[in-house]
């Protein structure tokens, strides 16, 4: 389990003309005043440590005074476009507090902290080098998960709003042991649903630091949800296990929690529930999803040997010939979406005829 499941490093795939047209059609493509490469011109950096003096793998970067003023203005403008209507009126109330750079992982993002000087509220957004895999992952998450995602693309630059939550590895180590037995049961249920959702839409590499726990107080209890924050590994790897978070060693504590808290019948019930919810989302976004899958079908986002191994593994699992006939990762995902949709419609038709 764990790292030995993954190939060495996924390459970044360029945005095709067809995907670019899709982004235009659905208002994701918009002109912005700064590019990823502009932020690479920093003149110095220091390591960012957490409150326990551990290296966070982020570097706080600095720019010479002549460039910093121009970069600050451009970043505030990007924030206004991402969060609001792009109006310059709010820029006077914004401050770019920090710019951090991460060399860990595929996307090597910049993390921008923007503060409202009137009330000291702050938020983050990210600037990354655009990668077709990640954009497909973001769009599929937006359509097929419970969560809406806010992001923009311009040429080879990707802007993403911060996804709030407690990182999975931190939650498992520091928060989970303090949870009540009832809360642990709820968390186990959510992990089963998250695991199923990732497998259905073929989102890979959900190790504990690639998802977060969203904790929401309700009127009589606390609600826990699990959501992905990294989408680079959409439809790339050739083994089905990589699309199932339960097989990563970083999630072994969660797997044990599921085993200890849930009966097999409950696990199966939660899987069916999640498949049904995803099927409804597929039907509700059928036109846009179809447009996205058409882009993916004509795109090159994986290796031919990965396509071959993944489609045959899923074919052996489902006996659905559509997987066997797939020639690229887009067609593998189309087969997966069709499989879920067909099963949902068949079950509903059976109910109607009873």
């Amino acid at each position: 389990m764990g790292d030995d499941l993954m190939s060495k490093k996924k390459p970044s795939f360029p945005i095709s003309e067809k995907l670019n047209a899709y982004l235009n059609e659905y208002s994701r493509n918009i002109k912005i005043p700064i590019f990823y490469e502009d932020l690479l011109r920093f003149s110095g950096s220091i390591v960012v440590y957490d409150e326990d003096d551990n290296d966070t793998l982020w570097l706080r970067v600095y720019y010479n005074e002549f460039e910093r003023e121009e970069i600050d203005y451009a970043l505030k403008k990007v924030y206004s476009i991402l969060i609001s209507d792009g109006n310059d009126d709010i820029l006077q109330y914004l401050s770019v507090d920090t710019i951090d750079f991460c060399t860990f992982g595929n996307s090597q993002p910049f993390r921008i902290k923007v503060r409202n000087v009137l009330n000291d509220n702050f938020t983050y957004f990210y600037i990354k080098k655009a990668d077709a895999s990640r954009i497909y992952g973001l769009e599929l998450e937006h359509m097929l998960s419970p969560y809406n995602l806010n992001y923009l693309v311009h040429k080879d630059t990707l802007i993403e709003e911060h996804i709030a939550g407690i990182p999975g590895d931190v939650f498992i180590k520091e928060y989970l042991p303090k949870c009540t037995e009832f809360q642990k049961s709820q968390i186990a249920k959510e992990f089963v649903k998250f695991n199923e959702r990732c497998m259905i839409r073929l989102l890979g590499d959900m190790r504990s630091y690639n998802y977060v726990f969203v904790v929401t107080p309700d009127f009589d209890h606390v609600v826990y949800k699990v959501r992905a924050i990294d989408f680079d590994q959409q439809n790339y790897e050739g083994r089905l296990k990589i699309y199932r978070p339960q097989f990563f060693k970083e999630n072994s504590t969660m797997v044990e929690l599921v085993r200890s808290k849930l009966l097999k019948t409950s696990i199966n019930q939660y899987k069916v529930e999640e498949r049904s919810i995803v099927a409804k989302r597929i039907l509700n976004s059928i036109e846009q999803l179809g447009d996205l899958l058409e882009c993916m079908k004509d795109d090159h986002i994986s290796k031919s040997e990965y396509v071959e191994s993944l489609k045959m593994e899923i074919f052996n699992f489902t006996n659905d010939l559509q997987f066997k006939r797939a020639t690229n990762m887009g067609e593998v995902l189309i087969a997966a979406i069709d499989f879920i949709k067909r099963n949902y419609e068949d079950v509903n038709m059976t109910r109607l005829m009873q």
Side-chain angles (χ1 to χ4, degrees):
M1 294 193 294
D3 293 339
D4 55 340
L5 280 176
M6 305 288 296
S7 53
K8 292 297 181 186
K9 187 174 181 180
K10 187 192 82 67
S12 181
F13 295 102
I15 297 171
S16 67
E17 285 186 22
K18 198 164 182 177
L19 179 56
N20 194 56
Y22 169 92
L23 294 169
N24 274 326
E25 173 71 20
Y26 292 99
S27 303
R28 295 294 196 183
N29 207 339
I30 192 164
K31 191 173 181 181
I32 52 175
I34 194 167
F35 292 97
Y36 177 85
E37 282 75 14
D38 296 328
L39 292 175
L40 289 172
R41 300 198 306 264
F42 52 86
S43 55
S45 65
I46 59 170
V47 174
V48 179
Y49 294 96
D50 66 16
E51 57 188 17
D52 298 318
D53 286 331
N54 298 312
D55 186 346
T56 63
L57 303 176
W58 289 88
L59 299 174
R60 185 143 299 158
V61 298
Y62 301 95
Y63 301 83
N64 67 53
E65 59 181 301
F66 305 107
E67 285 195 307
R68 180 67 199 229
E69 188 175 341
E70 184 182 339
I71 286 171
D72 274 16
Y73 175 82
L75 291 174
K76 289 189 284 187
K77 183 71 176 172
V78 167
Y79 173 84
S80 176
I81 294 167
L82 182 69
I83 302 299
S84 185
D85 60 358
N87 196 305
D88 285 357
D89 292 347
I90 69 167
L91 302 191
Q92 61 185 310
Y93 307 118
L94 301 177
S95 168
V96 177
D97 279 10
T98 58
I99 303 172
D100 297 335
F101 178 57
C102 183
T103 57
F104 177 72
N106 290 323
S107 58
Q108 297 193 333
F110 285 91
R111 181 178 62 196
I112 318 300
K113 181 181 180 182
V114 177
R115 180 170 54 87
N116 184 313
V117 296
L118 297 178
N119 53 33
D120 271 348
N121 284 335
F122 64 88
T123 189
Y124 296 95
F125 68 90
Y126 299 85
I127 297 182
K128 306 174 181 182
K129 196 165 182 62
D131 168 32
S133 301
R134 189 173 186 89
I135 290 169
Y136 286 124
L138 286 164
E139 278 294 288
L140 288 163
E141 181 76 2
H142 182 72
M143 284 186 265
L144 302 183
S145 85
Y147 310 105
N148 293 328
L149 295 184
N150 187 15
Y151 75 93
L152 298 170
V153 183
H154 185 50
K155 295 185 177 176
D156 61 352
T157 296
L158 172 64
I159 313 290
E160 284 183 42
E161 190 175 16
H162 175 66
I163 296 173
I166 303 168
D169 52 344
V170 175
F171 183 90
I172 291 166
K173 182 181 177 183
E174 298 180 13
Y175 292 82
L176 185 60
K178 300 172 187 174
C179 290
T180 66
E181 296 309 306
F182 172 75
Q183 288 170 339
K184 286 178 181 178
S185 294
Q186 192 204 346
I187 291 163
K189 168 189 170 183
E190 290 304 319
F191 186 77
V192 169
K193 291 193 161 202
F194 175 66
N195 191 80
E196 191 70 11
R197 192 161 65 243
C198 291
M199 183 181 70
I200 289 169
R201 42 80 50 108
L202 296 178
L203 176 63
D205 192 20
M206 282 299 109
R207 286 173 280 190
S208 55
Y209 46 78
N210 286 333
Y211 60 83
V212 294
F213 284 85
V214 181
V215 184
T216 309
D218 203 355
F219 73 95
D220 63 348
H221 67 297
V222 178
V223 177
Y224 296 88
K225 297 290 183 182
V226 186
R227 64 177 299 190
I229 59 170
D230 194 309
F231 305 96
D232 288 336
Q233 288 284 346
Q234 177 65 51
N235 277 79
Y236 174 69
E237 296 281 354
R239 298 178 63 190
L240 187 56
K241 280 185 175 181
I242 290 163
Y243 304 102
R244 303 176 74 182
Q246 70 189 76
F247 287 107
F248 287 98
K249 68 176 186 293
E250 292 85 353
N251 296 326
S252 59
T253 301
M254 296 304 299
V255 173
E256 285 305 312
L257 185 70
V258 170
R259 283 181 183 150
S260 66
K261 289 294 175 187
L262 302 179
L263 297 171
K264 182 71 173 172
T265 50
S266 296
I267 293 171
N268 290 335
Q269 176 199 334
Y270 297 142
K271 286 180 178 180
V272 170
E273 284 179 10
E274 194 60 31
R275 285 197 292 271
S276 298
I277 290 170
V278 171
K280 289 174 185 174
R281 293 193 186 109
I282 290 167
L283 293 169
N284 287 335
S285 57
I286 197 75
E287 185 176 337
Q288 185 174 351
L289 181 59
D291 290 345
L292 182 72
L293 294 173
E294 278 298 312
C295 294
M296 190 183 279
K297 189 173 73 172
D298 292 342
D299 215 339
H300 173 72
I301 52 171
S302 187
K303 298 178 180 179
S304 56
E305 59 265 33
Y306 290 176
V307 174
E308 193 64 28
S309 61
L310 182 62
K311 77 175 190 181
M312 291 310 298
E313 195 173 339
I314 303 178
F315 167 70
N316 292 331
F317 187 61
T318 62
N319 290 319
D320 187 330
L321 283 170
Q322 193 176 347
F323 289 103
K324 199 172 185 179
R325 297 189 189 109
T327 61
N328 57 49
M329 279 299 189
E331 291 180 356
V332 172
L333 185 60
I334 288 169
I337 298 291
D338 285 349
F339 182 80
I340 293 296
K341 184 162 68 77
R342 265 198 327 274
N343 278 294
Y344 176 74
E345 290 170 337
D346 289 348
V347 167
N348 280 343
M349 183 60 69
T350 302
R351 286 203 190 104
L352 285 171
M353 295 174 69
Q354 285 176 344

